[in-house]
Amino acid sequence: MRNSSIRFIFGPLLRSGLAAVLLLVASQAWADDAPPARIRGTIKSVAADTLTVETNGGTVLDVALDGKTSVHAITLGTVEEIQPGRYIGVTAVPQGDGTLKALEVHVFPPDMAGTGDGHRPWDLAPDSSMTNGLVGELATSNGRMITVKYKDGQQQVAIPDGMPVVNIEPGDRSLLTPGTHVMIFAQKNADGTLVARFISAGKNGVKPPM
């Protein structure tokens, strides 16, 4: 797995005591030709250290949990939280004028600032991207347009009305119950089995929009 991918997935943990251990595990466990699987779906059942998840596409998968699995909660946010100086992640698609149109925004708590800093392809929609950075300029005269600044550049992003906004918060396995919506980064082993490494779990019925 490339170092940039490792930093993106485990960036939130760089502000916790698990960072060094998980970064080493990720480097050893995922080869460059075996990137982590992204699983979006709903938990159907929980048995011992295994989640059965029905993906958004209708496939049912068993995903193992182990001591390295990390869980974060996804809660509802508001567009008013997207303010200059806040650190956010934006999934977006390109517009004809060279700007981006946001599909969703997730707002990081201050201690996660710097997580996954940069701009990269994403798989939520065709031609979509993920941009993580600090909110810079904010214009509201003709709709809401923000500048997202990261180490190597910046992007101009339009924020449409009604776009999902969520917060990322600390969580634990008590969130992993039947009916919970999840997004999982999983290690796929040579035998095809899946092991969760990072889980974003919707709290109080929230569906992670990432």
Side-chain angles (χ1 to χ4, degrees):
M1 181 179 183
R2 294 178 177 85
N3 288 337
S4 60
S5 298
I6 295 171
R7 287 194 298 271
F8 173 68
I9 296 167
F10 292 98
L13 300 174
L14 295 178
R15 279 77 187 172
S16 74
L18 296 176
V21 174
L22 290 180
L23 195 59
L24 177 61
V25 169
S27 300
Q28 295 173 338
W30 293 340
D32 284 345
D33 59 351
R38 297 182 189 130
I39 301 168
R40 300 173 174 91
T42 304
I43 298 174
K44 289 178 64 68
S45 63
V46 182
D49 289 326
T50 301
L51 299 180
T52 299
V53 177
E54 182 173 359
T55 71
N56 292 345
T59 302
V60 176
L61 300 172
D62 286 334
V63 183
L65 309 175
D66 62 17
K68 304 178 186 70
T69 303
S70 175
V71 181
H72 278 75
I74 303 298
T75 62
L76 287 178
T78 66
V79 70
E80 287 75 20
E81 295 177 71
I82 306 173
Q83 295 292 331
R86 293 301 303 266
Y87 194 82
I88 65 172
V90 184
T91 305
V93 290
Q95 301 193 106
D97 62 359
T99 63
L100 299 174
K101 179 181 178 181
L103 301 177
E104 64 87 18
V105 170
H106 50 277
V107 181
F108 291 96
D111 64 347
M112 291 186 181
T115 299
D117 186 81
H119 177 73
R120 60 191 59 80
W122 200 240
D123 64 348
L124 185 63
D127 298 322
S128 64
S129 61
M130 177 68 78
T131 306
N132 284 20
L134 285 172
V135 178
E137 297 174 4
L138 172 64
T140 57
S141 57
N142 295 307
R144 185 178 291 257
M145 178 72 71
I146 63 173
T147 301
V148 182
K149 299 182 177 182
Y150 46 92
K151 180 180 178 181
D152 298 321
Q154 63 181 35
Q155 298 290 330
Q156 299 293 318
V157 185
I159 307 296
D161 292 339
M163 179 209 64
V165 179
V166 295
N167 292 305
I168 299 178
E169 301 179 353
D172 56 41
R173 292 194 188 186
S174 67
L175 294 167
L176 305 179
T177 59
T180 298
H181 304 294
V182 292
M183 178 178 177
I184 303 173
F185 287 97
Q187 171 189 331
K188 189 171 185 178
N189 295 323
D191 61 0
T193 57
L194 296 164
V195 182
R197 286 290 170 256
F198 187 91
I199 302 176
S200 294
K203 190 173 181 179
N204 298 324
V206 172
K207 184 176 182 179
M210 299 89 82

